[in-house]
């Protein structure tokens, strides 16, 4: 079981960029898929992006496609979410999680969740 710790959130303005990090302690197996989710107040937690630890294959939700990029550094056991052209609707708590299912997008498919980091985009 991996422990995940997110960082990098903050308050930014519309159009700004931000990079989130998710540091994992414990082994990340090559079969893992690392994902980012977000949850805005009053909303369900929604999938944002995922990356296969071994193949580096990525998948994104439509609202962030073309603006966000997920990547990973195996030497640092860290997953990143580069967020560009941020919008007020991107405001949410962002969570990192691990799955064993390729291209998983459902919250139930993920385990080993982090505590989340707040991202606030002002207009």
């Amino acid at each position: 079981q991996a422990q995940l710790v997110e960082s990098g959130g903050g308050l930014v303005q519309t159009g700004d960029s931000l990079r989130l990090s998710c540091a994992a302690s414990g082994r990340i197996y090559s079969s893992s898929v690392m994902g980012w989710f977000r949850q805005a107040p009053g909303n369900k937690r929604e999938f944002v992006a995922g990356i296969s630890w071994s193949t580096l294959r990525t998948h994104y939700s439509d609202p962030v496609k073309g603006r966000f990029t997920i990547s990973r550094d195996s030497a640092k056991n860290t997953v990143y979410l580069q967020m560009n052209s941020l919008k007020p609707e991107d405001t949410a708590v962002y969570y990192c999680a691990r799955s064993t299912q390729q291209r998983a997008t459902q919250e139930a498919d993920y385990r080993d969740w982090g505590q989340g980091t707040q991202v606030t985009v002002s207009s």
Side-chain angles (χ1 to χ4, degrees):
Q1 182 177 359
Q3 292 184 331
L4 307 174
V5 178
E6 302 95 335
S7 62
L11 173 62
V12 296
Q13 296 184 335
T14 297
D16 284 352
S17 297
L18 206 58
R19 190 177 78 158
L20 305 183
S21 299
C22 170
S25 61
R27 182 177 177 180
I28 301 294
Y29 291 92
S30 60
S31 59
S32 296
V33 170
M34 301 301 295
W36 285 97
F37 284 72
R38 67 186 182 186
Q39 187 170 21
N43 290 355
K44 295 181 179 180
R45 192 149 52 180
E46 64 175 2
F47 172 78
V48 174
I51 184 168
S52 169
W53 194 259
S54 59
T55 68
L56 298 181
R57 188 178 183 184
T58 59
H59 54 294
Y60 300 90
S61 65
D62 287 342
V64 308
K65 201 171 293 183
R67 298 189 298 122
F68 291 11
T69 302
I70 187 172
S71 62
R72 68 105 172 105
D73 184 334
S74 58
K76 297 182 179 179
N77 244 24
T78 299
V79 178
Y80 303 99
L81 185 68
Q82 177 67 42
M83 305 185 296
N84 298 330
S85 302
L86 282 163
K87 306 174 182 179
E89 50 263 46
D90 294 319
T91 295
V93 177
Y94 283 72
Y95 298 90
C96 176
R98 186 183 70 85
S99 175
T100 57
Q101 298 189 30
Q102 295 301 309
R103 300 188 68 77
T105 61
Q106 301 301 309
E107 184 178 353
D109 294 332
Y110 284 81
R111 54 187 296 177
D112 302 338
W113 292 82
Q115 83 291 346
T117 185
Q118 176 71 47
V119 172
T120 302
V121 184
S122 64
S123 56

